[in-house]
Structure formats: structure tokens, C-alpha cells
Amino acid sequence: MLETNESQCNGPASASVNNNHLTEEDLLVKHKAEKKELQATIQQLKKNAQNSKKKKKEAVEEISKLETEMKARHLEELSQCKKGIISNGEVESAVADLSLSEGAVDLGEGETPISEKSVKVSRAAKRRAKKAEAAEQREMELQQEREHQQLYSPRAVEARLMAKLISERQLRQTEVQPDGNCMYSALSLQLEGAKSVENLRCLASDYMLEHKDDFLPFLTAPDTGELLDERGFQDYCDKVASTSAWGGQPELRALSQVLRRKIEVLQAEGAPMVLGEEFSGDPLLLAYYRHSFSLGEHYNSLRKRTIDSPIGAT
């Protein structure tokens, strides 16, 4: 607290702030009381802002404003009261002693004073906003990439082309499990269950063994890409009969001969593959997918669409 030999503040400007009847000591006591009142107000603002980030930010701004206004008013009142008696430097020192930083109020335990915190909060908010903006931009790019994949990936392109082809041919598709038996399962559906998957596998294996010269020159080992020898061909046919090994064109060719049925395979790229063209009658229809299933190449069953049946899978 400032000391003075004067019992009363002087100066013509003191009347403008209605403190011309206060001694310096009275004025400082008044300021101290106002500071305590402001502290109470700040505490209430703090309490009201506890559970809301938005209210907390507004409270920081309001408290900073109240502190700034009080400090300026106290400076003006002391300046007018002590004009001609104490220097400006002393007045500023007195006001600094009364600054709210003495009992700095925070909005949480262990936090910095409001005047400092508002700057830190502003910088932190900018950093958070910049980080959030970067994250949002990255998410937008990822979303665009996902949308591009959905539209233009080999799987998406194949699915659209197949759907168009099936619709143009007025067919309906029945999906089968992608478990290695898909080709045999699709044919079994075409035959209305007259031949089971196991039966079809054995028929294909037996025919290939009996007509080795028609198949051996065209079969290669999957791990090396080299043509199969006699032992390799025997192992291949054994797997056709007794495992869930995936079936393809050689097995379809064998089954078309055993069943004496034409087999037509629709695919997204290129003309349909037809086996057993020498046989008359309606063909057995399959849909072939190269990209659409995680386990690799896949077959579904196709039938002519009736009036009441849907275009897509059943």
C-alpha cells in the first residue's frame, strides 16, 4: 500500500471519478474490496463453466475482460487522485500491487493465472484446430480413395459388368459358397441336385485319368508353372476327386463330356466360354468371377429368369 503525507487526494480531475473525498488509503481499500468482489464473480463463472468447453472458453474471455477493465479503472482513479502528488511510475506500481495476479484465479486446480492462461489457451486452441483440420483433410482423402475403389477397383468394375450381362441375358444368379467347391456346387444346382458335388468331382477325375492325353499336355504345376509329369498328373486327379481343390476349365471340359451337356460360362471380359459345343439342348450356365471373392476365382449358378424371379442373386 502506498504511503502519503496528504490526508486527502487533490486535483481538479478527481471529482470526475467521484473519489475526491477519499484518502489514498481509502481508495486502495476500495480497490481491494472491488478485487474481492471480482474474485467472487470469477469463481461463479468458473463454477458455471465446469462441464462445458464452450462455456469455459467464454468464461476465460469474460474474466480477462473484467480484469482488464478493473485494472484500467483503478489506474485512472489513482492517477486522478494522486495527480501532482505521486509520479506515474508510482501509480503504476500501486496498481500492479493490486493486480489480480496476486490472487490469480484459475479455472482448474494447478492452472496458470487467467491473463497468462488466455494466451496459452489461444495457442493450444490454434494447435488443436490445425491438427483437427489436418485429420479432417486426411479423412476426406481416405474417403475419396474408398469411393474411388468402390467405383473403379477390378472387383467393382467386374461386378457392374457381370450385373449388366446377366440382366441383358435375362438371367438370375444363385450364389454359392466360395469354398473351393463352387464350380461343382454351381453345376449341381444346374442339374437340380441330380449329381452331388462329390459325385461330380469323381466323374471329372475319372474321365481325366481315362483320357490322359487330352489333359496332361495342358496342365502345369501351380508352384513352378512347369508341365505336369505322369506322377504329377495322377496327384492332380486324386486331389480333384478327394479334396476341395478349386476346379477350372479342364474339369469343366471333362464334365461336359461325361454329362454330354453344353456348358456356357459367362465372364465380365471377353466372350462366354463354351465347352461341349457338339451337344444339343440348353447349356448349363455358370457365372465366372476373377476378382470379386477373397479366395480367388469363383463360379455362381445362372438360370433363365422367369417373370416373378429377381434379376440378381437368389
Side-chain angles (χ1 to χ4, degrees), residues 253 256-257 260-263 274-280:
R253 181 182 174 191
S256 72
Q257 295 299 315
R260 305 189 64 79
R261 294 285 298 273
K262 183 188 300 184
I263 298 176
V274 181
L275 303 106
E277 291 186 87
E278 65 271 26
F279 301 117
S280 59

Side-chain angles (χ1 to χ4, degrees), residues 139 141-151:
E139 178 58 31
E141 292 173 356
L142 290 173
Q143 180 62 27
Q144 290 174 348
E145 184 177 342
R146 287 192 291 267
E147 291 175 355
H148 183 274
Q149 284 293 325
Q150 291 175 354
L151 289 174

Side-chain angles (χ1 to χ4, degrees), residues 183 187 190 251-257 259-266 272-277 279 282-286 299:
M183 187 194 78
L187 285 173
Q190 292 284 295
E251 291 78 15
L252 284 173
R253 181 182 174 191
L255 289 171
S256 72
Q257 295 299 315
L259 300 172
R260 305 189 64 79
R261 294 285 298 273
K262 183 188 300 184
I263 298 176
E264 183 177 3
V265 182
L266 274 62
M273 179 176 65
V274 181
L275 303 106
E277 291 186 87
F279 301 117
D282 293 335
L284 303 177
L285 294 171
L286 301 181
Y299 291 92

Side-chain angles (χ1 to χ4, degrees), residues 25-57:
E25 183 176 359
D26 290 338
L27 185 58
L28 293 178
V29 169
K30 173 178 175 290
H31 288 178
K32 193 77 172 183
E34 290 176 351
K35 186 189 78 168
K36 289 182 178 179
E37 290 178 2
L38 181 56
Q39 287 176 331
T41 300
I42 289 173
Q43 290 296 339
Q44 187 60 42
L45 288 171
K46 169 189 170 182
K47 182 177 179 181
N48 294 339
Q50 283 180 347
N51 299 321
S52 171
K53 290 184 179 180
K54 181 179 179 181
K55 289 184 178 180
K56 188 173 182 181
K57 180 180 178 182

Side-chain angles (χ1 to χ4, degrees), residues 144-186:
Q144 290 174 348
E145 184 177 342
R146 287 192 291 267
E147 291 175 355
H148 183 274
Q149 284 293 325
Q150 291 175 354
L151 289 174
Y152 302 108
S153 67
R155 179 176 182 174
V157 172
E158 181 180 57
R160 286 200 300 273
L161 290 174
M162 287 297 291
K164 180 181 178 183
L165 182 59
I166 291 170
S167 176
E168 289 174 347
R169 292 282 298 266
Q170 296 187 358
L171 302 172
R172 62 183 177 90
Q173 179 173 217
T174 300
E175 294 187 358
V176 298
Q177 290 293 326
D179 55 4
N181 291 312
C182 57
M183 187 194 78
Y184 302 99
S185 297

Side-chain angles (χ1 to χ4, degrees), residues 200-217 219 228-242 250-251 253-255 257-258:
L200 289 170
R201 279 187 171 278
C202 289
L203 290 173
S205 176
D206 291 344
Y207 185 88
M208 292 172 71
L209 285 170
E210 292 171 6
H211 300 81
K212 179 178 61 177
D213 293 340
D214 293 337
F215 294 93
L216 181 56
L219 293 175
L228 293 179
D229 55 18
E230 297 278 346
R231 177 62 182 274
F233 181 70
Q234 180 66 52
D235 291 342
Y236 181 95
C237 292
D238 290 344
K239 289 180 179 178
V240 170
S242 59
E251 291 78 15
R253 181 182 174 191
L255 289 171
Q257 295 299 315
V258 173

